[in-house]
Amino acid sequence: MQTNPGQNAAVRATPDVLNPLDREDLMGVRRVPAAAWACICSLSGLGLLAATWIWTEDVPWRSLQAEPAMLAVAALLVLLGELFSIDVARRDETTTLASLSTTIAVAMVAVGPISFLLAVQVAAVVIDDLQNRRAPFKIVFNAGQYITALLLARAVYCLVSGTGFLAGPQRLTVADVPATLAAGLVFLLVNESLVSIASSLLTRDPPLRGVPADLRMTTPITLVLVGMAPLAGYLLTNALPLLPLMLLPGLAVWYLSWVAAQRQRISLQDPQTGLPNRTLLYQRMDKAVADQDRGAGPPVALLLLDVDHFKDVNDVLGHQTGDLLLRELGQRIAGVVRPGEVVARLGGDEFALLLRGRDVATRAHTLARQLLADLIEPLDLPGVRLAVQCSVGVAVVEAPGVSVNELVKRADIALYEAKRERASVGVYSQQACTAAARRLSLLPDLRDAIAAGELRVQYQPLIEGGTGKLLGAEALCRWRHPVRGPVSPADFIPLAENSGLIGGLTRLVLNQALQTTRQWLDCGLDLQVSVNISPRLVSDGALPELVAELLGRHQVPADRLTLEVTESSVVNDANRATVVLDQLRQVGVRLSMDDFGTGYSSLSVLQAVDVDELKLDRSFVSTVDRVSADAILVRSTIKLAHALGLTVVAEGVENEAVAGELRVMRCDHLQGNLFGRPMSAEAITALAGDRGLTRYRNQVVDLKAAERRREGYRQVL
């Protein structure tokens, strides 16, 4: 039985597939004891081999002259057994290879000669290891462990049976069965213990605990193989033509073990991506946390990665495309990790990465950023090219005392914070935990409030830049919690987006806004209303139908409704977003590009989407009354929009100086606290009725001051 440089098949898809002797040095010194042990085993085995051959004063192949047929068949079976071995799981999730060569090798321990057996076994090990491209030191270690185990097994056999150590070949009788079984048990114990001790030294597990644990996992199948050795030895020496009959139960054992290995592989592998699944990830986390708790392991980091808008891919393109997308993403993620780092798929569109090492915090942050950059690159799938965005949550544990469940909880909180910003990295902190817990505790109440229609819409006035005339208002959702009081939209809107409630919330806002617009029309007020559409809904094919339904229910002309979408929501999935926005255009509503200037600000976006207006972000608008780069950008954007036939809205107008400058720049519409904070529908009606905006109408502009500002722009340019 030799060690396998790969783990069981369930994890061969990842770089974390390593034998205990081949693992990355996570602590900087961990490999030293294990490597020293491997060297001792290798050198002692090779030394014993040389001593045996020198002692016999004979070369192994001369033994063939005595029983050529029997020894040739035995050598062939040993070689075939090594080449067709079976993976048997170990406690550290690596595998040991069990094969029918164990049966023949133990039989030959009894039959002899030992020099011939050692030569055959070493040759079989070298051929098998070379075929599997194992490292040279690994080949030497495997040969050394076999030589040591076989020689000790032969010594025990000779001690029990009274046979000479160098005797053979000899015929096996029923009287030799106890000695053969005793030799087989010694071979099993020594061979497995040599590997288990190396694994324990690497993982800093106490060998007295590690060796028994490995034996409990590997002994059942190897005991069966050892138990067949007396029969194999008897047939080899007394009834060679009947040996194929013995191979039938051996093949049955091999097949059953293969089936068990396949079942284990399936139980630990995600079927769609070939990556480790949640079960294997938790096993690894249990081990990593346990090592850290007893001071034998390095710091640990867990990264959770979530694909934004994956549900839309399944809904629009089908589950087959979604599965292909997950497979491609899994390959990309696995391609950037280092040996010793675990990549797993947890289910749905969520992946996890488990890292260990002294610099794990730095590595985790670097890897998270790298993943965002790599995964945003377009994927070419059959019939479609997709660009996806992901969010990553990072939790690092550098001190003992944190359970696996707590580690996962921290990574979940970090992921939640990342998803609030979209396509970003969230890092766990106690402050983030407190804030996230507060927001998450609102979720049941938010769900109930949406279902009961308890959220209310307020309206911020929108005026015409040139005349100060009230044109309409932007609908803004507000929530007064019965216990906590007013809840900021910055808290409950991302919560709705990340919990699947945004659809119901958008329906509530649209319904109230259109109901109010109908009331304004009935009062003779020809006002328009604008509503923000979440990026998560811009690609939702059901949105146009919902808008058409509500317009019809409230009998509101479609051109009185403006839907505001952000640049990033269009760019992230341009193909589907364009289809949905075209359908909304067919419904007759107006479209506005919200927060223009904060995203891509690309002409290609304006060319791809047929919008009616651009809405300048408040971060640029607030400085237009001063000579600054922002003022120049705003002025240029207004000219560009007018050249394209678009209306321009400036939001965040807080003072009369900014409003005056925007009028000079011929900005079409203005919005901000200067004209009124968000208010009730009744307040908008009163504002329009008593002409509360009269002081902004026909405002005289200091043309000389405006000319001085223009001269300032030219000097800056």
Side-chain angles (χ1 to χ4, degrees):
M1 182 180 295
Q2 69 185 83
T3 55
N4 183 4
Q7 281 184 291
N8 53 49
V11 295
R12 283 180 177 162
T14 74
D16 190 51
V17 183
L18 299 168
N19 180 268
L21 299 180
D22 297 334
R23 288 183 178 173
E24 185 75 9
D25 183 8
L26 299 177
M27 292 292 290
V29 296
R30 283 182 128 192
R31 294 179 64 179
V32 174
W37 175 254
C39 289
I40 292 172
C41 293
S42 302
L43 294 176
S44 62
L46 295 178
L48 288 172
L49 177 64
T52 302
W53 286 350
I54 293 172
W55 188 13
T56 60
E57 298 181 353
D58 196 4
V59 290
W61 51 84
R62 288 183 182 174
S63 303
L64 286 171
Q65 298 175 359
E67 294 284 349
M70 183 268 289
L71 294 179
V73 170
L76 179 62
L77 291 177
V78 169
L79 176 60
L80 292 177
E82 287 295 324
L83 295 177
F84 297 96
S85 52
I86 311 159
D87 288 337
V88 180
R90 299 167 51 86
R91 63 182 162 84
D92 58 358
E93 299 168 13
T94 59
T95 56
T96 288
L97 297 179
S99 71
L100 289 176
S101 67
T102 299
T103 300
I104 305 301
V106 173
M108 291 302 297
V109 165
V111 172
I114 189 62
S115 60
F116 177 79
L117 173 58
L118 294 177
V120 170
Q121 187 66 68
V122 169
V125 168
V126 171
I127 292 173
D128 179 56
D129 286 353
L130 289 176
Q131 181 189 32
N132 289 281
R133 299 180 180 179
R134 289 168 186 148
F137 88 92
K138 189 66 174 65
I139 297 176
V140 175
F141 176 80
N142 281 335
Q145 74 180 54
Y146 263 119
I147 293 167
T148 303
L150 290 173
L151 286 173
L152 289 176
R154 176 67 178 179
V156 170
Y157 175 81
C158 295
L159 182 64
V160 175
S161 66
T163 305
F165 188 82
L166 300 178
Q170 62 184 13
R171 296 189 180 277
L172 214 62
T173 65
V174 175
D176 296 317
V177 170
T180 304
L181 291 177
L185 289 176
V186 170
F187 173 79
L188 184 159
L189 292 173
V190 172
N191 192 51
E192 178 56 43
S193 297
L194 293 176
V195 179
S196 185
I197 291 173
S199 176
S200 298
L201 291 173
L202 184 69
T203 60
R204 293 187 177 179
D205 288 332
L208 292 179
R209 185 179 67 178
V211 173
D214 280 336
L215 288 174
R216 282 194 297 271
M217 299 186 70
T218 59
T219 296
I221 182 173
T222 50
L223 274 180
V224 175
L225 295 172
V226 167
M228 294 192 299
L231 177 60
Y234 179 83
L235 293 177
L236 277 170
T237 58
N238 296 283
L240 187 59
L242 298 180
L243 185 62
L245 297 179
M246 193 277 306
L247 294 179
L248 294 178
L251 291 174
V253 172
W254 183 91
Y255 176 74
L256 292 176
S257 300
W258 179 84
V259 170
Q262 294 301 306
R263 288 178 177 173
Q264 183 189 41
R265 176 184 64 82
I266 293 172
S267 70
L268 298 176
Q269 184 183 51
D270 174 62
Q272 291 181 339
T273 63
L275 296 174
N277 60 14
R278 181 186 294 269
T279 301
L280 182 53
L281 175 70
Y282 271 75
Q283 290 178 6
R284 297 293 183 84
M285 287 194 294
D286 285 336
K287 181 67 168 57
V289 170
D291 286 349
Q292 189 179 40
D293 284 345
R294 66 172 187 271
V300 179
L302 179 65
L303 282 70
L304 294 183
L305 184 148
D306 183 86
V307 182
D308 297 336
H309 308 301
F310 178 73
K311 180 178 181 298
D312 296 336
V313 176
N314 277 339
D315 292 344
V316 178
L317 301 178
H319 289 273
Q320 184 176 5
T321 300
D323 292 345
L324 291 175
L325 174 61
L326 290 174
R327 193 173 300 119
E328 291 294 327
L329 290 176
Q331 292 179 2
R332 285 195 180 185
I333 296 171
V336 300
V337 298
R338 297 172 179 173
E341 298 176 347
V342 184
V343 181
R345 180 182 174 227
L346 301 182
D349 61 345
E350 195 169 32
F351 295 84
L353 297 92
L354 180 65
L355 316 181
R356 303 175 71 185
R358 287 176 296 180
D359 61 342
V360 72
T362 302
R363 169 62 179 162
H365 298 160
T366 302
L367 181 58
R369 296 293 178 187
Q370 183 180 356
L371 286 170
L372 289 187
D374 289 352
L375 297 181
I376 201 173
E377 293 296 324
L379 292 164
D380 292 315
L381 302 178
V384 65
R385 194 165 192 249
L386 289 179
V388 298
Q389 289 186 330
C390 301
S391 301
V392 182
V394 179
V396 178
V397 177
E398 297 183 293
V402 177
S403 67
V404 169
N405 289 337
E406 178 64 21
L407 175 61
V408 175
K409 176 184 174 182
R410 292 182 179 187
D412 270 327
I413 291 173
L415 178 61
Y416 172 76
E417 292 299 306
K419 291 174 70 174
R420 292 182 69 236
E421 303 295 331
R422 298 188 192 90
S424 66
V425 175
V427 179
Y428 174 83
S429 65
Q430 188 57 48
Q431 294 80 359
C433 177
T434 303
R438 178 181 180 277
R439 283 189 289 269
L440 289 173
S441 67
L442 290 172
L443 183 57
D445 296 338
L446 178 60
R447 182 180 287 108
D448 294 341
I450 292 174
E454 295 175 354
L455 281 78
R456 290 291 177 261
V457 174
Q458 292 188 333
Y459 303 88
Q460 187 167 38
L462 177 70
I463 72 163
E464 189 172 43
T467 65
K469 177 184 177 182
L470 180 65
L471 298 175
E474 179 180 2
L476 302 170
C477 190
R478 296 293 183 263
W479 181 26
R480 177 174 288 276
H481 191 277
V483 176
R484 304 186 185 187
V487 179
S488 170
D491 287 335
F492 74 80
I493 290 180
L495 182 61
E497 290 180 324
N498 296 328
S499 61
L501 298 178
I502 193 62
L505 180 60
T506 300
R507 184 183 186 94
L508 181 149
V509 174
L510 279 170
N511 186 65
Q512 289 191 26
L514 291 176
Q515 183 179 17
T516 298
T517 305
R518 180 68 262 171
Q519 294 171 354
W520 287 336
L521 291 172
D522 292 341
C523 295
L525 299 176
D526 188 12
L527 301 178
Q528 65 186 48
V529 66
S530 59
V531 176
N532 287 282
I533 300 299
S534 168
R536 294 185 179 269
L537 296 181
V538 172
S539 301
D540 189 346
L543 180 62
E545 183 179 350
L546 171 64
V547 172
E549 173 198 340
L550 295 177
L551 285 170
R553 176 187 302 176
H554 296 290
Q555 296 297 301
V556 174
D559 61 358
R560 292 296 177 270
L561 174 63
T562 299
L563 299 180
E564 299 181 5
V565 298
T566 61
E567 294 176 80
S568 57
S569 66
V570 176
V571 174
N572 289 345
D573 193 353
N575 293 334
R576 285 182 292 165
T578 300
V579 171
V580 172
L581 296 179
D582 285 345
Q583 292 175 349
L584 288 171
R585 294 286 297 179
Q586 294 173 14
V587 173
V589 300
R590 301 177 73 253
L591 297 177
S592 174
M593 186 71 72
D594 194 16
D595 296 338
F596 190 79
T598 61
Y600 297 86
S601 301
S602 171
L603 289 176
S604 61
V605 178
L606 300 180
Q607 291 174 337
V609 183
D610 184 14
V611 297
D612 298 283
E613 70 180 31
L614 298 183
K615 196 165 188 180
L616 301 176
D617 186 70
R618 65 180 66 246
S619 61
F620 296 97
V621 170
S622 61
T623 57
V624 295
D625 60 325
R626 299 184 295 275
V627 178
S628 67
D630 285 348
I632 296 169
L633 289 174
V634 169
R635 187 181 192 87
S636 301
T637 301
I638 292 174
K639 288 185 176 181
L640 173 62
H642 288 166
L644 295 174
L646 304 178
T647 301
V648 179
V649 179
E651 64 175 345
V653 180
E654 304 292 331
N655 56 65
E656 294 187 10
V658 170
E661 187 58 38
L662 289 169
R663 287 193 178 94
V664 171
M665 295 179 179
R666 300 186 181 280
C667 184
D668 302 291
H669 302 155
L670 307 178
Q671 178 185 340
N673 291 339
L674 177 64
F675 312 109
R677 294 181 178 276
M679 60 188 71
S680 65
E682 293 77 14
I684 290 287
T685 303
L687 189 65
D690 64 13
R691 304 191 180 277
L693 294 172
T694 301
R695 67 190 180 96
Y696 300 109
R697 296 184 180 178
N698 302 317
Q699 184 176 17
V700 178
V701 179
D702 187 342
L703 297 179
K704 291 184 179 180
E707 183 59 35
R708 287 195 298 270
R709 283 191 290 270
R710 293 192 190 96
E711 181 62 27
Y713 299 148
R714 285 194 289 270
Q715 291 176 2
V716 172
L717 291 172

